[in-house]
Amino acid sequence: MPTERFTFQGHSGAPLAARLDLPDGPLLATALFAHCFTCSKDIPAARRIAGRLAAMGIAVLRFDFTGLGQSEGTFAETTFSSNVEDLQAACKALSARGLTPSLLIGHSLGGAAVLRAAGRLPAVKAVATLGAPFDPGHVTHNFGGALDEIEAQGTAEVTLGGHRIEIGRGFVEDVSAQNLAPAIAKLHRALLVLHAPLDDVVGIENAANIFMAAKHPKSFVTLDDADHLLSRPRDAEYAAEVIAAWAGRYLDLKPPAPPPGAPEGIVRVSEADPEGFLQDVNNGPYHHVLADEPEAYGGTNRGLSPYGFLSAGLGACTSMTIRMYARRKGWPLTHVSVDVSHDKVHAQDAQARSDGKADHFRRVVRLEGDLSDEQRARLMEIADKCPVHRTLERTSVVLTEAG
């Protein structure tokens, strides 16, 4: 997945650092991701969600707010409202490149920021939040005893997520004064709320309040036992998968027609669980499946094995080819089914064969309908002419039987 470094001016004029994750194939839409309070654009949840969306043709910009990560400026001088202005500046910068965002995604306080910003961005069609607070002022409970010092001195250092960061009085006053309910009620965009019931940073009641304040179309998906930062890979992958599937319903993701003779689109396979073998398989904006290995081979058996996919390709191509031929001939074929099994012959056995082929595919084709013997025989011949069969038979043995 190509990733570009991207810089734009934030609300104060300071350069903000961003990454733009782009699809390998056609660009179908653009999304903007707002990270959680004091985090950065490079947190695992942001990377995984960006990668998943890019695989379905959606470019994703994720950036560091003013004074955070690699962005310039002073965080102590920022406010919740200035974060919203940074989001608007990011949208403006993307629009200047012809990449106007139609999807906003916000994590934690970034979720509150996208809820506030969405109404100011006419091109946005959908908004997704992860662990977002209904009351942005909720974040101040993390400051503990520093609130008195901030009030008295104007700034104070607090420890958040293991990092020391300076908070200014303006931020506390601004975030405490925010009321998102009217903005959510007038959102007029599709809304997806994702939240973990065991989130001990932003409680699940926040998700309930956001959901109740919003009008349809709105959806809620639980993140089960995930933590606030979605630090486990499987939780971030699940959130990414849900957002990608949901976004396809509300964004116009129609890919341009390929020119005649063009190869098929890119199939992206990305690791979903580094502790096992689970893989995300994406082909364009609408097709997503899982690949895995059986438990006996160290996998979790949550998807077809690689050879299972190969067998599925052979079976699907066989059925399609037979159906296409029968339709053209006007023959009374009512149903086709194909059973495919694969066997790997040991190399030493393959050496003994004259053709030297080690992969054996056994295909049982069942044809239903009032077909003559001659028609059945011809359709069985046609089965051997399917394109996948012809590709495989160059290095494998494909045996075809009538069922």
Side-chain angles (χ1 to χ4, degrees):
M1 177 185 65
T3 300
E4 289 184 15
R5 292 186 181 277
F6 191 98
T7 303
F8 64 95
Q9 286 190 336
H11 74 281
S12 66
L16 303 188
R19 293 187 187 277
L20 180 61
D21 297 297
L22 294 164
D24 286 317
L27 175 63
L28 308 182
T30 303
L32 178 59
F33 188 100
H35 62 71
C36 54
F37 182 57
T38 75
C39 295
S40 80
K41 65 184 180 303
D42 297 316
I43 61 171
R47 292 200 311 269
R48 290 187 175 92
I49 290 171
R52 178 72 179 83
L53 290 174
M56 65 181 288
I58 301 175
V60 181
L61 183 77
R62 42 194 172 99
F63 71 97
D64 293 327
F65 285 107
T66 299
L68 294 175
Q70 297 172 316
S71 290
E72 297 184 22
T74 304
F75 182 75
E77 297 176 0
T78 66
T79 64
F80 177 79
S81 295
S82 72
N83 285 349
V84 174
E85 292 173 14
D86 282 348
L87 276 168
Q88 292 176 265
C91 286
K92 182 178 180 181
L94 283 169
S95 295
R97 285 193 52 172
L99 298 172
T100 303
S102 54
L103 170 63
L104 299 182
I105 305 169
H107 184 194
S108 192
L109 193 62
V114 300
L115 288 171
R116 172 68 74 194
R120 306 175 186 179
L121 303 170
V124 170
K125 298 179 180 179
V127 178
T129 65
L130 301 114
F134 176 67
D135 173 12
H138 173 277
V139 72
T140 61
H141 86 276
N142 293 299
F143 302 164
L147 284 173
D148 291 337
E149 184 179 349
I150 293 171
E151 175 64 27
Q153 304 296 329
T155 64
E157 280 195 347
V158 299
T159 301
L160 295 171
H163 302 286
R164 298 287 294 175
I165 192 163
E166 191 173 19
I167 303 294
R169 182 189 296 130
F171 181 92
V172 174
E173 292 175 350
D174 181 65
V175 78
S176 298
Q178 297 296 321
N179 177 13
L180 289 182
I184 297 172
K186 299 177 181 178
L187 194 61
H188 302 306
R189 275 89 172 164
L191 175 65
L192 172 64
V193 180
L194 299 103
H195 213 110
L198 301 183
D199 189 332
D200 58 1
V201 178
V202 178
I204 188 65
E205 68 278 2
N206 287 272
N209 290 333
I210 292 172
F211 188 81
M212 293 303 296
K215 295 180 172 61
H216 287 289
K218 58 182 178 179
S219 305
F220 172 77
V221 175
T222 180
L223 296 175
D224 298 321
D225 59 348
D227 61 25
H228 182 66
L229 293 179
L230 304 180
S231 55
R232 292 184 306 194
R234 64 186 178 95
D235 294 326
E237 290 292 344
Y238 176 69
E241 182 176 341
V242 169
I243 292 172
W246 171 83
R249 188 176 184 89
Y250 298 103
L251 305 184
D252 183 12
L253 301 180
K254 296 178 181 177
E264 292 190 48
I266 293 169
V267 175
R268 172 177 292 156
V269 180
S270 58
E271 189 174 55
D273 181 5
E275 297 180 0
F277 297 115
L278 187 66
Q279 308 290 319
D280 267 314
V281 183
N282 298 276
N283 180 212
Y286 298 115
H287 307 300
H288 171 244
V289 292
L290 296 174
D292 204 347
E293 288 284 4
E295 293 181 3
Y297 292 97
T300 53
N301 200 33
R302 293 168 61 188
L304 283 173
S305 70
Y307 276 108
F309 276 105
L310 198 57
S311 298
L314 175 60
C317 187
T318 300
S319 180
M320 292 174 185
T321 302
I322 290 172
R323 172 54 65 190
M324 181 175 62
Y325 187 86
R327 183 181 295 142
R328 187 167 65 241
K329 290 289 188 179
W331 291 353
L333 176 67
T334 58
H335 186 71
V336 187
S337 67
V338 184
D339 293 346
V340 181
S341 60
H342 170 262
D343 186 27
K344 193 82 170 177
V345 177
H346 290 294
Q348 60 187 20
D349 295 332
Q351 294 288 336
R353 293 179 51 87
S354 60
D355 55 22
K357 295 176 179 177
D359 287 285
H360 285 237
F361 293 88
R362 180 172 177 267
R363 181 174 51 181
V364 178
V365 180
R366 296 182 179 85
L367 307 173
E368 298 179 16
D370 189 17
L371 298 163
S372 68
D373 292 342
E374 290 78 10
Q375 288 171 333
R376 290 179 180 275
R378 180 55 180 160
L379 291 176
M380 293 301 294
E381 291 177 9
I382 292 299
D384 289 341
K385 298 183 183 298
C386 90
V388 172
H389 181 142
R390 289 182 168 179
T391 298
L392 289 174
E393 69 178 354
R394 295 169 190 164
T395 56
S396 307
V397 172
V398 182
L399 304 175
T400 306
E401 301 174 9

